[in-house]
Amino acid sequence: MNAKTEQKRRSHSAILESASTLLRQRGIAGASVADVMKAAGLTVGGFYAHFSSKKELIDDALRRTTRELRERLFARLEQKPAEDRAEVVLKRYLSAAHRDEIAPGCPLPAVVGEVGTTAREHRDVLGEQIDAIATELAAHLPPARLGVRRRHLAVGLVALMYGGLSLARALRGTALSDEVLEACRALGRLATRTETDA
């Protein structure tokens, strides 16, 4: 790889890293091209050498941040007892640390509202990422319980996790914030335990 190609690769990576951080912290509207490039230490004029549009950048950042989230949520999960795996995921996601450390965390609380209202162009990518989380989670769930298929339970848990984290972040600094996390973990645990576990 020649020096110019390597420099372009490093710049591309820096832009994506900057966009991923700003996306988590400020949402889609708050991750302007100018702010992304400034945080990456690059000029705005160089943006289009890497991305065709802000939409492409945000879509790539959503894919990247959600992939990183999945890697953390499901890391070494196969080393846990099968009946505990869903609860481990719930504890990792619905934790005080994840609530408080926004920059490396889940992008969903920062973007879902915008995708539903003013940034509909990112709906398909958001759907892909939620589907990827639910698919991986479903593989770690117990057999169908009370007539609920694994897939439906996984999608419901993703919604519970995202909603719980969003509320906990909005209420950060209050006792209710901690209670939201605890209540969502308890509800998720109840939904994933089989009758023989209860």
Side-chain angles (χ1 to χ4, degrees), residues 101-123:
E101 296 174 8
I102 294 173
C106 181
L108 297 182
V111 303
V112 168
E114 286 178 279
V115 172
T117 56
T118 59
R120 303 278 298 161
E121 65 272 19
H122 303 289
R123 182 188 60 192

Side-chain angles (χ1 to χ4, degrees), residues 31-190:
S32 70
V33 169
D35 288 345
V36 166
M37 296 302 281
K38 181 178 178 182
L42 299 165
T43 63
V44 175
F47 175 78
Y48 292 101
H50 298 276
F51 297 94
S52 63
S53 63
K54 180 181 176 183
K55 179 189 183 304
E56 181 187 1
L57 172 65
I58 295 300
D59 285 349
D60 285 358
L62 277 171
R63 289 182 182 105
R64 176 184 174 147
T65 55
T66 310
R67 183 186 68 247
E68 291 169 351
L69 172 69
R70 287 197 323 271
E71 288 169 359
R72 285 192 305 276
L73 287 179
F74 300 105
R76 300 174 310 283
L77 207 55
E78 67 283 350
Q79 298 172 10
K80 307 289 184 186
E83 65 274 11
D84 294 337
R85 292 176 185 171
E87 189 170 350
V88 169
V89 172
L90 288 164
K91 285 181 177 178
R92 288 175 177 173
Y93 190 93
L94 292 165
S95 67
H98 190 203
R99 174 196 62 200
D100 297 340
E101 296 174 8
I102 294 173
C106 181
L108 297 182
V111 303
V112 168
E114 286 178 279
V115 172
T117 56
T118 59
R120 303 278 298 161
E121 65 272 19
H122 303 289
R123 182 188 60 192
D124 291 343
V125 170
L126 178 65
E128 290 168 10
Q129 300 315 303
I130 290 172
D131 181 67
I133 297 169
T135 298
E136 196 160 353
L137 181 57
H140 296 288
L141 292 177
R145 179 176 185 229
L146 303 176
V148 179
R149 295 189 345 244
R150 282 182 177 159
R151 169 67 181 187
H152 282 171
L153 180 55
V155 170
L157 287 172
V158 171
L160 173 73
M161 290 160 54
Y162 147 73
L165 183 67
S166 297
L167 279 176
R169 283 183 175 173
L171 297 168
R172 191 174 29 231
T174 70
L176 187 54
S177 177
D178 292 329
E179 189 176 2
V180 166
L181 293 175
E182 292 168 14
C184 288
R185 286 194 308 264
L187 186 58
R189 183 170 52 250
L190 184 64

